Amino acid sequence: AAHRVAVQQTIAYLEGLCARAARGHHTPGQPYNRIATSGWCAVAFEHRTSRADDPPLHTHVVVPNLVQCVDGRWSAWDTSEAYRQASTGGYLYQAVLRGELTRRLGVKWGGVRRGVAEIEGVPAGLRRVFSTRRQAIEEHLAEHGRDGARAAQVAALVTRPAKTHRTDAELRQQWRDRARAAGFSPRRI
């Protein structure tokens, strides 16, 4: 529920700033018109796990490159402001999520770094146990002597496993077993 609130508030914020249409040529140096719209038409896909069956809840939001303008015509979405606001949207999501989890569950947080903070009391070793996608990407980068954002994107694609289809009960049991195998007591955590 906290995640959904954070996603909804972030989408609303970005839609308010970025849901504009562009008409005219998009050639550098050539003017084009920005037109107000009635908002976005978007679809959200919520995923409870990564492809490695780690538990990072996340949502993919797809916004088509077409918006209805206030004049009733459909036009291409002017994505320039969305690109400028991408980091702000991520920071906003994280801040709302922290606030919601604190309010709902009473958790406390470590320091915020680049918009993200860890929940106090969750050991770094346990977080690492459930970061197998990140580990696979880091291993691929080290193995090939690469670094940087582009190399990490390539590594993410190359190391991406096929999707699995497990029930919530199967996932929870798998997570308990992985935690125990790494020396963490699920009950204590």
Side-chain angles (χ1 to χ4, degrees):
H3 167 73
R4 287 186 184 134
V5 168
V7 168
Q8 289 168 354
Q9 286 191 21
T10 302
I11 291 170
Y13 167 80
L14 292 172
E15 183 179 31
L17 285 177
C18 306
R20 306 290 179 270
R23 286 196 188 138
H25 294 285
H26 299 270
T27 309
Q30 296 293 319
Y32 65 94
N33 296 322
R34 286 192 174 104
I35 315 281
T37 72
S38 57
W40 283 338
C41 178
V43 62
F45 298 93
E46 186 175 287
H47 298 273
R48 296 181 55 111
T49 65
S50 72
R51 285 178 175 254
D53 284 340
D54 290 334
L57 174 65
H58 63 285
T59 298
H60 299 271
V61 179
V62 179
V63 181
N65 189 23
L66 195 61
V67 288
Q68 187 174 26
C69 301
V70 293
D71 63 7
R73 291 177 46 204
W74 290 85
S75 295
W77 171 33
D78 177 10
T79 58
S80 59
E81 188 62 27
Y83 285 110
R84 284 192 287 274
Q85 295 294 331
S87 291
T88 303
Y91 280 45
L92 175 63
Y93 166 82
Q94 292 291 332
V96 173
L97 181 64
R98 282 192 303 276
E100 286 292 312
L101 289 174
T102 299
R103 183 177 69 78
R104 293 167 186 264
L105 302 176
V107 297
K108 297 187 183 332
W109 300 90
V112 177
R113 184 171 173 248
R114 295 175 62 191
V116 179
E118 300 294 347
I119 296 174
E120 284 186 6
V122 177
L126 182 61
R127 289 194 307 267
R128 187 91 174 140
V129 167
F130 293 104
S131 300
T132 53
R133 285 293 295 132
R134 180 181 179 102
Q135 290 174 45
I137 292 166
E138 289 173 352
E139 288 168 10
H140 185 272
L141 291 171
E143 182 180 313
H144 293 86
R146 306 268 187 211
D147 64 7
R150 180 72 182 128
Q153 285 178 332
V154 170
L157 290 173
V158 169
T159 63
R160 186 170 75 172
K163 291 181 179 180
T164 63
H165 302 285
R166 291 179 172 53
T167 66
D168 282 352
E170 291 170 328
L171 286 167
R172 290 180 190 283
Q173 185 60 51
Q174 178 187 24
W175 295 336
R176 284 190 291 270
D177 293 345
R178 285 170 62 188
R180 278 190 203 96
F184 297 96
S185 164
R187 184 172 297 277
R188 184 167 175 225
I189 296 296

